[in-house]
Amino acid sequence: MSGALAIFRRELLGLWVTPLAWVMLVVFLLIQGLSFYSIVVHVSGMTSASIDSGPVQAYFGQSIFLLVSLLLVCPALTMRVFAEERKSGTIEALLTAPVTPAGVVLGKYLATLATYLAMWAPTLLYILILRNTGQIDWRVVGSSYLGVISVGAGYLAVGTLMSAMTQSQLTAFVLTMLVIFGLFILGIGEYVFDAGMLRDLSAHVSVLSQMDEMAKGVVDLRRLVFDGSLVVFPLFVTVRVVDSWRWG
Amino acid sequence: MIEVDRLTKDYGTVVAVRDVSFRVGKGEVVGFLGPNGAGKSTTMRILVGFLGATSGTVRVAGHDIVDDSLEARRAIGYMPESAPLYTEMRVREYLGFRAAVKKVARGERKTAVERAMSLAVVTEMADTVIGHLSKGYRQRVGLADALVANPPLLILDEPTAGLDPNQIREVRRLIRGLGESHTILLSTHILSEVEATCDRAIVIDRGRLVAEGTIAELRARRRADGGVLTVRGDRDQAIAAVEPLTGVRRVRAKPAEGEGLWRLTLALSKGTPDVGPVLEAAIAALVGAGLAVRDAGPSRATLEDVFAELTRAEPEADEEPEGAS
C-alpha cells in the first residue's frame, strides 16, 4: 500500500500545484457563498420557522446550488486522473512500477476525495456564523456533511472510472456530468412516476430526497449503502479497466 | 537476467512480435536493434509488464512477468520511449515520488534520489520544474528514474532518441559506465549506438528475431567481399592489370586524395572464398605493370551493411512452412 500512498500524495500535489483545484475551489465557494447568503437573507425575513426549516436544513437539503456545484466540481476533479496520464504517456512509468492496479486506482481516487473534502472545509465557517446568531443542532450538521461527503464520494468514483475510459479530459468531464445528471433525473422520477417499482427505484437513488432527509438529521442506512455501492462498483470497474490496458 | 521464450504479440490487425526468444545474462549490455516499427518497443513493454503477450513467457530475474509481476518489476528500472514525466513536478520531487512508488524504504529515499541524480548528472537541476527542462535533461531525469531504486536490470527504450550529438555522447558514456554494475537492455535503430555501448546485439525486424550475437559475430556474418587498393599511376593501366585476375568480378577506380592517386575497389566473383590471395595477386600485377601501391586491404563490412542485409525484405519463403503446418 506504500505505492498507493505515494500516488495519493503525488496526485494531491498534481491537483493543487496547477490552477485547476484553485479555480474549482473559487467557483465552488462562490456558489456555496451565494447559496448561503440567499438562504440567510430569506430565513431572516421569516417571522416563524419550524424546527425542520432552519438555514442549515435549507442549505444542505433544499438548495439546488448544492447539486450544481457537485455537477461541476466532481467531474472537474476527476477528469484528469487517468486521461491525462494516458495522453502524456506517464501511465507507462506508473504502471511498470511495482504497484498493483488497485493501488494506483485507490491512490488517485483518494486524492480527489481529499481535495473534495478540502473544498467543503471552508463552509464550516457558515455553521460558525450561524452559531453566533442562534442555536445549532450539531447532529444535523453532522448528518448533512455525511450526506454531501457520501454523495460526492460516489460521483468522484464515477468520474475516476470515466477518466479511465478515455484519453480526453473533456470527454471524461462530459461523461461524468452525464452520469451525475442522469442519476439526478432518475431521482426526479420520484415525483413523476406512479407508485410502483419505478418510483421506488427513483426514490431510492434520488439525491434530492437523500439530501433533504440527511439535512433533517435522518440517516437512512439504505442511502449510505447505495452511495457506498456507487463508490465501490465504479472503482472496481476502474481497476479492471486499468488492468485491461495490458491487452490493448 | 531476462529469459524470453517464444514471445508473440498479436494486435489483431498486426502481429507486432512473432515467436521471439532470447536471453540476456547477468552483467551484459545488450542492444536491441531494429528499424522503426520492428517491434522493439512492444517487446520491451512486454518485458516490463506494461503489455501482455499473446503467447510465450518472459522471466525477469527469475520471476515470471505475469504470475509474479510485482517481484519481477522490482528488479527492473525501465525508461519508456521519450521518457514521459510529470511536467508540473520538480526533479527532486518526482524522483522522490518514483522512489516511494518503487518501494524504496522511507529512510533511504533521500539518499537514493541524490545518488540517482548524480549518476544521471541532473543534480544541478534538482529544484527545476520538469516542464522547464530541455529534452536532454528530461531524458536524463528518465534515466535517473530508472536508476532510483537501484535495480539490477535497466531496460531503456531508445535512450538517445531526440538528443543532439553531444548529449548522445554523454548518455552513451553514462550507459557504458552503468554497464559495469547493471545488466542493460537498450533499444535503438542506430547501429553506431550498439557499437558504442553494447557487448551484444539482438536484431529484430518486422517482429522476428533475425540475428543475435556479439558485435564481432554480427560483423562476421558478412565476410569481406572485396578489397580496396590505393595506387599511383595511370588509371586505365591499373584497371587493365587487375581486371583479368581470377576471383575479380569487377574493378572500380575513383580518384583518391593526392596527386595521381586512384582508389581501386575490387568486387570478388562468386565462389571466391577469401579476399587475401586476390589482393596479393592484384598487388603483384599492379607492381608488375609499373604502378605504385600505397595501401591495400579487404573492404570490411560495417555493421550498417550487416543491418541492411539482415533487415532487407527477405523472400516470404521462410514464412510458408509456418502457414502450411
PDB file of all heavy atoms in Angstrom, chain A residues 51-74:
ATOM      1  N   ILE A  51     -38.919  23.710  13.150  1.00  0.00           N
ATOM      2  CA  ILE A  51     -37.615  23.172  13.527  1.00  0.00           C
ATOM      3  C   ILE A  51     -36.902  22.566  12.316  1.00  0.00           C
ATOM      4  O   ILE A  51     -35.687  22.497  12.268  1.00  0.00           O
ATOM      5  CB  ILE A  51     -37.802  22.135  14.659  1.00  0.00           C
ATOM      6  CG1 ILE A  51     -36.432  21.683  15.223  1.00  0.00           C
ATOM      7  CG2 ILE A  51     -38.567  20.924  14.183  1.00  0.00           C
ATOM      8  CD1 ILE A  51     -36.158  22.273  16.553  1.00  0.00           C
ATOM      9  N   ASP A  52     -37.706  22.144  11.321  1.00  0.00           N
ATOM     10  CA  ASP A  52     -37.132  21.459  10.162  1.00  0.00           C
ATOM     11  C   ASP A  52     -36.723  22.384   9.027  1.00  0.00           C
ATOM     12  O   ASP A  52     -36.281  21.939   7.992  1.00  0.00           O
ATOM     13  CB  ASP A  52     -38.146  20.449   9.598  1.00  0.00           C
ATOM     14  CG  ASP A  52     -38.059  19.143  10.368  1.00  0.00           C
ATOM     15  OD1 ASP A  52     -37.139  19.037  11.206  1.00  0.00           O
ATOM     16  OD2 ASP A  52     -38.890  18.269  10.123  1.00  0.00           O
ATOM     17  N   SER A  53     -36.912  23.656   9.189  1.00  0.00           N
ATOM     18  CA  SER A  53     -36.623  24.513   8.037  1.00  0.00           C
ATOM     19  C   SER A  53     -35.706  25.675   8.403  1.00  0.00           C
ATOM     20  O   SER A  53     -35.898  26.785   7.972  1.00  0.00           O
ATOM     21  CB  SER A  53     -37.912  25.042   7.422  1.00  0.00           C
ATOM     22  OG  SER A  53     -38.663  25.717   8.429  1.00  0.00           O
ATOM     23  N   GLY A  54     -34.705  25.361   9.201  1.00  0.00           N
ATOM     24  CA  GLY A  54     -33.694  26.352   9.520  1.00  0.00           C
ATOM     25  C   GLY A  54     -32.733  26.514   8.359  1.00  0.00           C
ATOM     26  O   GLY A  54     -32.840  25.817   7.350  1.00  0.00           O
ATOM     27  N   PRO A  55     -31.799  27.437   8.508  1.00  0.00           N
ATOM     28  CA  PRO A  55     -30.849  27.686   7.424  1.00  0.00           C
ATOM     29  C   PRO A  55     -29.983  26.473   7.087  1.00  0.00           C
ATOM     30  O   PRO A  55     -29.672  26.244   5.914  1.00  0.00           O
ATOM     31  CB  PRO A  55     -30.012  28.847   7.944  1.00  0.00           C
ATOM     32  CG  PRO A  55     -30.323  28.993   9.395  1.00  0.00           C
ATOM     33  CD  PRO A  55     -31.669  28.386   9.611  1.00  0.00           C
ATOM     34  N   VAL A  56     -29.580  25.685   8.077  1.00  0.00           N
ATOM     35  CA  VAL A  56     -28.745  24.517   7.786  1.00  0.00           C
ATOM     36  C   VAL A  56     -29.502  23.534   6.907  1.00  0.00           C
ATOM     37  O   VAL A  56     -28.997  23.027   5.907  1.00  0.00           O
ATOM     38  CB  VAL A  56     -28.284  23.832   9.098  1.00  0.00           C
ATOM     39  CG1 VAL A  56     -27.563  22.516   8.786  1.00  0.00           C
ATOM     40  CG2 VAL A  56     -27.383  24.759   9.891  1.00  0.00           C
ATOM     41  N   GLN A  57     -30.766  23.304   7.282  1.00  0.00           N
ATOM     42  CA  GLN A  57     -31.586  22.368   6.507  1.00  0.00           C
ATOM     43  C   GLN A  57     -31.767  22.870   5.073  1.00  0.00           C
ATOM     44  O   GLN A  57     -31.706  22.105   4.116  1.00  0.00           O
ATOM     45  CB  GLN A  57     -32.965  22.182   7.158  1.00  0.00           C
ATOM     46  CG  GLN A  57     -32.956  21.282   8.364  1.00  0.00           C
ATOM     47  CD  GLN A  57     -32.579  22.025   9.635  1.00  0.00           C
ATOM     48  OE1 GLN A  57     -32.138  23.185   9.587  1.00  0.00           O
ATOM     49  NE2 GLN A  57     -32.722  21.364  10.771  1.00  0.00           N
ATOM     50  N   ALA A  58     -31.988  24.156   4.964  1.00  0.00           N
ATOM     51  CA  ALA A  58     -32.206  24.711   3.629  1.00  0.00           C
ATOM     52  C   ALA A  58     -30.929  24.634   2.803  1.00  0.00           C
ATOM     53  O   ALA A  58     -30.941  24.268   1.632  1.00  0.00           O
ATOM     54  CB  ALA A  58     -32.659  26.166   3.735  1.00  0.00           C
ATOM     55  N   TYR A  59     -29.833  24.950   3.459  1.00  0.00           N
ATOM     56  CA  TYR A  59     -28.545  24.981   2.760  1.00  0.00           C
ATOM     57  C   TYR A  59     -28.173  23.614   2.204  1.00  0.00           C
ATOM     58  O   TYR A  59     -27.790  23.463   1.052  1.00  0.00           O
ATOM     59  CB  TYR A  59     -27.469  25.495   3.727  1.00  0.00           C
ATOM     60  CG  TYR A  59     -26.085  25.480   3.170  1.00  0.00           C
ATOM     61  CD1 TYR A  59     -25.770  26.232   2.028  1.00  0.00           C
ATOM     62  CD2 TYR A  59     -25.070  24.738   3.778  1.00  0.00           C
ATOM     63  CE1 TYR A  59     -24.481  26.229   1.529  1.00  0.00           C
ATOM     64  CE2 TYR A  59     -23.786  24.747   3.275  1.00  0.00           C
ATOM     65  CZ  TYR A  59     -23.502  25.486   2.146  1.00  0.00           C
ATOM     66  OH  TYR A  59     -22.240  25.482   1.636  1.00  0.00           O
ATOM     67  N   PHE A  60     -28.298  22.575   3.026  1.00  0.00           N
ATOM     68  CA  PHE A  60     -27.908  21.237   2.570  1.00  0.00           C
ATOM     69  C   PHE A  60     -29.037  20.489   1.883  1.00  0.00           C
ATOM     70  O   PHE A  60     -28.805  19.668   1.015  1.00  0.00           O
ATOM     71  CB  PHE A  60     -27.418  20.405   3.753  1.00  0.00           C
ATOM     72  CG  PHE A  60     -26.049  20.776   4.211  1.00  0.00           C
ATOM     73  CD1 PHE A  60     -25.861  21.485   5.377  1.00  0.00           C
ATOM     74  CD2 PHE A  60     -24.939  20.427   3.450  1.00  0.00           C
ATOM     75  CE1 PHE A  60     -24.590  21.827   5.807  1.00  0.00           C
ATOM     76  CE2 PHE A  60     -23.667  20.775   3.868  1.00  0.00           C
ATOM     77  CZ  PHE A  60     -23.489  21.479   5.044  1.00  0.00           C
ATOM     78  N   GLY A  61     -30.260  20.763   2.309  1.00  0.00           N
ATOM     79  CA  GLY A  61     -31.352  19.896   1.871  1.00  0.00           C
ATOM     80  C   GLY A  61     -32.198  20.436   0.746  1.00  0.00           C
ATOM     81  O   GLY A  61     -32.744  19.664  -0.033  1.00  0.00           O
ATOM     82  N   GLN A  62     -32.314  21.757   0.643  1.00  0.00           N
ATOM     83  CA  GLN A  62     -33.281  22.270  -0.327  1.00  0.00           C
ATOM     84  C   GLN A  62     -32.659  23.140  -1.406  1.00  0.00           C
ATOM     85  O   GLN A  62     -33.358  23.698  -2.236  1.00  0.00           O
ATOM     86  CB  GLN A  62     -34.368  23.065   0.406  1.00  0.00           C
ATOM     87  CG  GLN A  62     -35.591  22.212   0.684  1.00  0.00           C
ATOM     88  CD  GLN A  62     -35.828  22.089   2.167  1.00  0.00           C
ATOM     89  OE1 GLN A  62     -35.632  23.030   2.921  1.00  0.00           O
ATOM     90  NE2 GLN A  62     -36.268  20.920   2.586  1.00  0.00           N
ATOM     91  N   SER A  63     -31.319  23.244  -1.364  1.00  0.00           N
ATOM     92  CA  SER A  63     -30.695  24.169  -2.303  1.00  0.00           C
ATOM     93  C   SER A  63     -30.246  23.449  -3.574  1.00  0.00           C
ATOM     94  O   SER A  63     -29.550  22.439  -3.514  1.00  0.00           O
ATOM     95  CB  SER A  63     -29.498  24.840  -1.648  1.00  0.00           C
ATOM     96  OG  SER A  63     -28.798  25.554  -2.608  1.00  0.00           O
ATOM     97  N   ILE A  64     -30.663  23.997  -4.703  1.00  0.00           N
ATOM     98  CA  ILE A  64     -30.240  23.442  -5.984  1.00  0.00           C
ATOM     99  C   ILE A  64     -28.778  23.765  -6.243  1.00  0.00           C
ATOM    100  O   ILE A  64     -28.091  23.084  -6.985  1.00  0.00           O
ATOM    101  CB  ILE A  64     -31.162  23.983  -7.116  1.00  0.00           C
ATOM    102  CG1 ILE A  64     -30.995  23.140  -8.394  1.00  0.00           C
ATOM    103  CG2 ILE A  64     -30.875  25.434  -7.423  1.00  0.00           C
ATOM    104  CD1 ILE A  64     -31.689  21.815  -8.322  1.00  0.00           C
ATOM    105  N   PHE A  65     -28.290  24.820  -5.554  1.00  0.00           N
ATOM    106  CA  PHE A  65     -26.884  25.209  -5.718  1.00  0.00           C
ATOM    107  C   PHE A  65     -25.947  24.062  -5.360  1.00  0.00           C
ATOM    108  O   PHE A  65     -24.899  23.880  -5.967  1.00  0.00           O
ATOM    109  CB  PHE A  65     -26.552  26.416  -4.830  1.00  0.00           C
ATOM    110  CG  PHE A  65     -27.125  27.693  -5.338  1.00  0.00           C
ATOM    111  CD1 PHE A  65     -28.166  28.328  -4.682  1.00  0.00           C
ATOM    112  CD2 PHE A  65     -26.608  28.267  -6.496  1.00  0.00           C
ATOM    113  CE1 PHE A  65     -28.690  29.510  -5.162  1.00  0.00           C
ATOM    114  CE2 PHE A  65     -27.124  29.456  -6.967  1.00  0.00           C
ATOM    115  CZ  PHE A  65     -28.177  30.082  -6.308  1.00  0.00           C
ATOM    116  N   LEU A  66     -26.355  23.311  -4.351  1.00  0.00           N
ATOM    117  CA  LEU A  66     -25.515  22.204  -3.918  1.00  0.00           C
ATOM    118  C   LEU A  66     -25.302  21.210  -5.052  1.00  0.00           C
ATOM    119  O   LEU A  66     -24.191  20.767  -5.330  1.00  0.00           O
ATOM    120  CB  LEU A  66     -26.189  21.512  -2.729  1.00  0.00           C
ATOM    121  CG  LEU A  66     -25.343  20.411  -2.103  1.00  0.00           C
ATOM    122  CD1 LEU A  66     -25.050  20.741  -0.669  1.00  0.00           C
ATOM    123  CD2 LEU A  66     -26.024  19.067  -2.208  1.00  0.00           C
ATOM    124  N   LEU A  67     -26.406  20.893  -5.739  1.00  0.00           N
ATOM    125  CA  LEU A  67     -26.313  19.935  -6.841  1.00  0.00           C
ATOM    126  C   LEU A  67     -25.511  20.495  -8.001  1.00  0.00           C
ATOM    127  O   LEU A  67     -24.713  19.799  -8.616  1.00  0.00           O
ATOM    128  CB  LEU A  67     -27.714  19.549  -7.299  1.00  0.00           C
ATOM    129  CG  LEU A  67     -28.444  18.699  -6.268  1.00  0.00           C
ATOM    130  CD1 LEU A  67     -29.908  18.573  -6.619  1.00  0.00           C
ATOM    131  CD2 LEU A  67     -27.801  17.337  -6.170  1.00  0.00           C
ATOM    132  N   VAL A  68     -25.731  21.784  -8.257  1.00  0.00           N
ATOM    133  CA  VAL A  68     -24.991  22.413  -9.356  1.00  0.00           C
ATOM    134  C   VAL A  68     -23.492  22.355  -9.080  1.00  0.00           C
ATOM    135  O   VAL A  68     -22.692  22.018  -9.952  1.00  0.00           O
ATOM    136  CB  VAL A  68     -25.448  23.876  -9.553  1.00  0.00           C
ATOM    137  CG1 VAL A  68     -24.523  24.593 -10.528  1.00  0.00           C
ATOM    138  CG2 VAL A  68     -26.880  23.913 -10.058  1.00  0.00           C
ATOM    139  N   SER A  69     -23.129  22.641  -7.829  1.00  0.00           N
ATOM    140  CA  SER A  69     -21.702  22.638  -7.533  1.00  0.00           C
ATOM    141  C   SER A  69     -21.122  21.223  -7.614  1.00  0.00           C
ATOM    142  O   SER A  69     -20.011  21.027  -8.085  1.00  0.00           O
ATOM    143  CB  SER A  69     -21.428  23.276  -6.173  1.00  0.00           C
ATOM    144  OG  SER A  69     -22.143  22.599  -5.183  1.00  0.00           O
ATOM    145  N   LEU A  70     -21.886  20.227  -7.192  1.00  0.00           N
ATOM    146  CA  LEU A  70     -21.404  18.850  -7.321  1.00  0.00           C
ATOM    147  C   LEU A  70     -21.250  18.472  -8.787  1.00  0.00           C
ATOM    148  O   LEU A  70     -20.303  17.814  -9.184  1.00  0.00           O
ATOM    149  CB  LEU A  70     -22.369  17.865  -6.650  1.00  0.00           C
ATOM    150  CG  LEU A  70     -22.437  17.855  -5.133  1.00  0.00           C
ATOM    151  CD1 LEU A  70     -23.271  16.684  -4.652  1.00  0.00           C
ATOM    152  CD2 LEU A  70     -21.049  17.785  -4.535  1.00  0.00           C
ATOM    153  N   LEU A  71     -22.200  18.925  -9.582  1.00  0.00           N
ATOM    154  CA  LEU A  71     -22.207  18.604 -11.010  1.00  0.00           C
ATOM    155  C   LEU A  71     -20.982  19.195 -11.704  1.00  0.00           C
ATOM    156  O   LEU A  71     -20.506  18.664 -12.699  1.00  0.00           O
ATOM    157  CB  LEU A  71     -23.490  19.165 -11.636  1.00  0.00           C
ATOM    158  CG  LEU A  71     -23.876  18.655 -13.019  1.00  0.00           C
ATOM    159  CD1 LEU A  71     -24.095  17.158 -12.997  1.00  0.00           C
ATOM    160  CD2 LEU A  71     -25.134  19.355 -13.501  1.00  0.00           C
ATOM    161  N   LEU A  72     -20.477  20.307 -11.190  1.00  0.00           N
ATOM    162  CA  LEU A  72     -19.288  20.919 -11.779  1.00  0.00           C
ATOM    163  C   LEU A  72     -18.001  20.387 -11.170  1.00  0.00           C
ATOM    164  O   LEU A  72     -17.049  20.066 -11.869  1.00  0.00           O
ATOM    165  CB  LEU A  72     -19.333  22.448 -11.564  1.00  0.00           C
ATOM    166  CG  LEU A  72     -20.283  23.232 -12.449  1.00  0.00           C
ATOM    167  CD1 LEU A  72     -20.302  24.695 -11.998  1.00  0.00           C
ATOM    168  CD2 LEU A  72     -19.858  23.136 -13.896  1.00  0.00           C
ATOM    169  N   VAL A  73     -17.998  20.313  -9.848  1.00  0.00           N
ATOM    170  CA  VAL A  73     -16.751  20.043  -9.140  1.00  0.00           C
ATOM    171  C   VAL A  73     -16.296  18.587  -9.304  1.00  0.00           C
ATOM    172  O   VAL A  73     -15.134  18.325  -9.596  1.00  0.00           O
ATOM    173  CB  VAL A  73     -16.913  20.405  -7.645  1.00  0.00           C
ATOM    174  CG1 VAL A  73     -15.837  19.768  -6.805  1.00  0.00           C
ATOM    175  CG2 VAL A  73     -16.883  21.911  -7.484  1.00  0.00           C
ATOM    176  N   CYS A  74     -17.214  17.641  -9.153  1.00  0.00           N
ATOM    177  CA  CYS A  74     -16.791  16.239  -9.189  1.00  0.00           C
ATOM    178  C   CYS A  74     -16.176  15.842 -10.542  1.00  0.00           C
ATOM    179  O   CYS A  74     -15.091  15.271 -10.570  1.00  0.00           O
ATOM    180  CB  CYS A  74     -17.940  15.321  -8.794  1.00  0.00           C
ATOM    181  SG  CYS A  74     -18.400  15.557  -7.062  1.00  0.00           S
TER     182      CYS A  74
END
